[in-house]
Amino acid sequence: MLARFVCPATTGCLGLAAQAAARQVGQWSRAYAAAATTELTVRDALNSALDEEMARDEKVYILGEEVGEYQGAYKITRGLLQKHGAERVRDTPITEAGFTGIAVGSAFAGTKPVCEFMTFNFAMQAIDQIVNSAAKTLYMSAGQISCPIVFRGPNGAAAGVGAQHSQCFAAWYSHVPGLKVLAPYDSEDARGLLKAAIRDPDPVIFLENELLYGTAFPVSQEVLDKDFTLPIGKAKVMRQGKDVTIVAFSKMVGFSLEAAEQLAKEGIDAEVINLRSIKPLDRATIAASVRKTHRLVSVEEGWPQSGIGAEIAALAMEECFDDLDAPMGRVAGAEVPTPYAANLEAMCFPQVPDIVRQVKATVGRA
Amino acid sequence: MEFLGGPLTPSSPRIPCYRTLDGTGKHIPDAVVPHDLQQQDAVALYTAMAKLQVMDTICYDAQRQGRFSFFMTCAGEEATVVGSAAGLDPRDMVFSQYREHGVLLWRGFSFDDFANQLYGNSLEPGQGRQMPIHYGSKELNYQTVSSPLATQLPHAAGAAYAMKLDGADTVAAAYFGEGASSEGDFHAALNFAATLGAPCLFICRNNGYAISTPANEQYAGDGIACRGTAYGMPAIRVDGGDARAVYCATRAAREIALRDGCPVLIEAMSYRSGHHSTSDDSSRYRTREEMVAWRARDPVVRFRHWLVANAWWDEEREKQLRHATRQQVIEALEKASKVAKPPVSALFSDVYADMPWHLQEQLQETLQVARRHPHLCPPDMPVQ
């Protein structure tokens, strides 16, 4: 691996999404547990989750490139080396296959590693260790050897980082039995899901989003509690609605919420579901929503073929075909390796107007 | 300005090969033997090697008869595998490649255990999940065999690191062939183990072939041992056909790893007398003369000569051991072939620590279909 893009404080490139999120806080407060009291960035949510879980269980340790002395390529592990020591926050030589294998082996031997990839794009160099070793060993050993490991890092597109730094891997990992796959959106998700992932005995893929690291979300006291966890396999209804169900994960949840506000002005009341968990997928929540709204749109950054939307379409056929008044609509990324030029890149990934347009088509108001 | 290595210095000295017995099994005078074997241990080592040889022969033939799908022998490498196993502590965690079942035999895996795994029946701890020879035993600290080559090397380095964090007095021991040492994971594992100071033994079986690729096409340097010092760890080359030398080297390596908090590399030179596996016919890529010459240096025979010279073994005991072992192995295979296969529910368990709802649903659906249409299910598979 040669080029490593360390994105500095990203407020500059966050653009509309984060600003909109901050603006809309008041209207969404009913979606958050209890009364919102503190603003917490996703970065600090992840950092505090790691800190607390390491204090709670001495078997938990962090490894990856630049996680220690450098405080983390995206500063997610800031301060942890100083607080917990070099044995528990390990800087590794540059070999994803190597440090992933090391982490997997140490998990077989009883530790609970949190293995950071600078981006999941680089994890492709380690994917054999993730799939053939971490995911399958419990099964192959008939329950004798477990791998309580968390693989975490930024997934999907950032801004202006080109084809080899922008791929979404949700669909790839969601395919594999033996893995659990989580995709947090806001700070509550980040804290609750990461703590749950670290405490889980199975290998977990934790797909973060670089552009959300700097976004602050309101969180309740409950979320800040050191034992706050979210259940793995449960989606969250972010916004109730009656005309159409929009299913999204990660950054697209924010875009979907913004699209829902715009659609509301035109009399279309959208329900927005934040998947939180890609595997296991909360089929029941999606189906229950479709039974209510009768229309379904999925939104993802990744490529359409064999993507998460394809899985949602299949489950719609299996679970709630008779409740659909229209075929499901899919919003996904353009089927090209991500170009670098800003104008081309903007056309590659779903923007709020794309979601609005698809929803209108699905509800028959195109 | 001086360039060293490669074609520029073709006669630079090779790393010497440690041995204590010559090619006929005679003790080499002045050989350094820090842990000499007394009668009881020597006989234990020998019987394990001989049993391994008998078991390999019978199981190989059983596969050829169609009793199970696949088998691999360790013919020619019995001393490397059993000698090193004896030099480890039973609590040391072993990460094998696929030709080290002698370690399991040494640690107490029975012929029944082997046979059950080969037949993938309901008695084997692996529950029929893995293809033949992919043994594993949590009890005996032997990691389940992983097919992709060399992935076990970083695992071992990581496990050793975990042991170090725990302050344990055990090591991790990874086995691999000279071919697998070409994989990227080999580089990462050794580099890592050294930078982390992990007490890990890397034991290379340099047996001359990686399926059909001879060692002189696998690497251009001085074998695998030279790579150890390059990564900053002590390394030794040993005669893999000399059980006593392998035993001594492994014991010493283990002591170094624990005392100095570092990994150690052992390159055991031997020869793969058998085919790569039951899917291979090595007569296609090597000569009969070569194989015959190496058979004459068979490690089991060499060690037996040394025992006989010490009056610790004789013809009669040899005949009895071979005969008894043959009977036991055949019996074990017979027994295992009659045991029921794992039930239908074994298909869906152990994917996760707790069976999630979607797999529970799929299991129930499968059981329903199997009960309604029994002819769809294999006759020896319990529908439960």
Side-chain angles (χ1 to χ4, degrees), chain B residues 229-271:
Chain B
T229 40
Y231 286 113
M233 72 183 75
I236 190 170
R237 171 171 286 146
V238 62
D239 178 352
D242 175 352
R244 186 170 67 163
V246 175
Y247 169 72
C248 287
T250 308
R251 253 188 91 164
R254 193 180 180 278
E255 279 160 15
I256 294 169
L258 285 171
R259 183 192 69 217
D260 296 316
C262 66
V264 181
L265 174 63
I266 299 173
E267 181 183 19
M269 311 301 291
S270 63
Y271 184 78

Side-chain angles (χ1 to χ4, degrees), chain B residues 249-323:
Chain B
T250 308
R251 253 188 91 164
R254 193 180 180 278
E255 279 160 15
I256 294 169
L258 285 171
R259 183 192 69 217
D260 296 316
C262 66
V264 181
L265 174 63
I266 299 173
E267 181 183 19
M269 311 301 291
S270 63
Y271 184 78
R272 196 196 75 207
S273 278
H275 304 305
H276 165 71
S277 73
T278 47
S279 310
D280 176 46
D281 173 12
S282 59
S283 65
R284 289 169 180 267
Y285 51 82
R286 55 183 175 179
T287 63
R288 227 188 102 63
E289 289 72 32
E290 179 188 300
M291 295 178 67
V292 165
W294 275 97
R295 265 294 177 202
R297 300 200 274 275
D298 179 61
V300 181
V301 170
R302 272 169 83 183
F303 200 56
R304 184 168 79 233
H305 285 162
W306 183 63
L307 262 73
V308 167
N310 284 330
W312 294 340
W313 195 255
D314 56 58
E315 240 345 282
E316 191 49 44
R317 295 176 71 178
E318 178 71 13
K319 260 206 339 245
Q320 278 171 13
L321 175 68
R322 297 259 166 187
H323 180 77

Side-chain angles (χ1 to χ4, degrees), chain B residues 72-315:
Chain B
M72 282 177 132
T73 71
C74 66
E77 301 182 62
E78 295 87 350
T80 303
V81 171
V82 179
S84 56
L88 294 171
D89 184 287
R91 297 166 305 141
D92 293 335
M93 193 175 288
V94 169
F95 290 82
S96 64
Q97 182 160 300
Y98 49 50
R99 220 181 280 287
E100 300 88 5
H101 44 292
V103 174
L104 271 175
L105 189 68
W106 175 262
R107 287 185 169 186
F109 214 57
S110 67
F111 293 137
D112 284 336
D113 291 329
F114 281 108
N116 288 334
Q117 199 283 333
L118 295 171
Y119 276 96
N121 63 31
S122 61
L123 286 181
E124 76 119 347
Q127 289 294 288
R129 301 279 172 63
Q130 289 258 55
M131 56 184 283
I133 73 105
H134 286 61
Y135 320 103
S137 168
K138 184 169 178 172
E139 201 193 356
L140 299 180
N141 295 308
Y142 193 93
Q143 285 283 320
T144 307
V145 174
S146 170
S147 300
L149 285 184
T151 53
Q152 74 275 16
L153 300 180
H155 295 168
Y161 182 63
M163 289 170 180
K164 176 177 158 164
L165 288 180
D166 253 350
D169 62 342
T170 51
V171 301
Y175 288 85
F176 55 101
E178 85 286 350
S181 69
S182 295
E183 288 275 2
D185 275 2
F186 168 87
H187 158 79
L190 266 70
N191 189 39
F192 251 101
T195 55
L196 289 174
C200 184
L201 302 195
F202 292 104
I203 304 173
C204 178
R205 297 177 292 97
N206 189 333
N207 63 11
Y209 283 95
I211 309 190
S212 69
T213 306
N216 62 12
E217 286 177 27
Q218 192 67 246
Y219 51 74
D222 178 16
I224 312 306
C226 66
R227 302 182 193 179
T229 40
Y231 286 113
M233 72 183 75
I236 190 170
R237 171 171 286 146
V238 62
D239 178 352
D242 175 352
R244 186 170 67 163
V246 175
Y247 169 72
C248 287
T250 308
R251 253 188 91 164
R254 193 180 180 278
E255 279 160 15
I256 294 169
L258 285 171
R259 183 192 69 217
D260 296 316
C262 66
V264 181
L265 174 63
I266 299 173
E267 181 183 19
M269 311 301 291
S270 63
Y271 184 78
R272 196 196 75 207
S273 278
H275 304 305
H276 165 71
S277 73
T278 47
S279 310
D280 176 46
D281 173 12
S282 59
S283 65
R284 289 169 180 267
Y285 51 82
R286 55 183 175 179
T287 63
R288 227 188 102 63
E289 289 72 32
E290 179 188 300
M291 295 178 67
V292 165
W294 275 97
R295 265 294 177 202
R297 300 200 274 275
D298 179 61
V300 181
V301 170
R302 272 169 83 183
F303 200 56
R304 184 168 79 233
H305 285 162
W306 183 63
L307 262 73
V308 167
N310 284 330
W312 294 340
W313 195 255
D314 56 58
E315 240 345 282

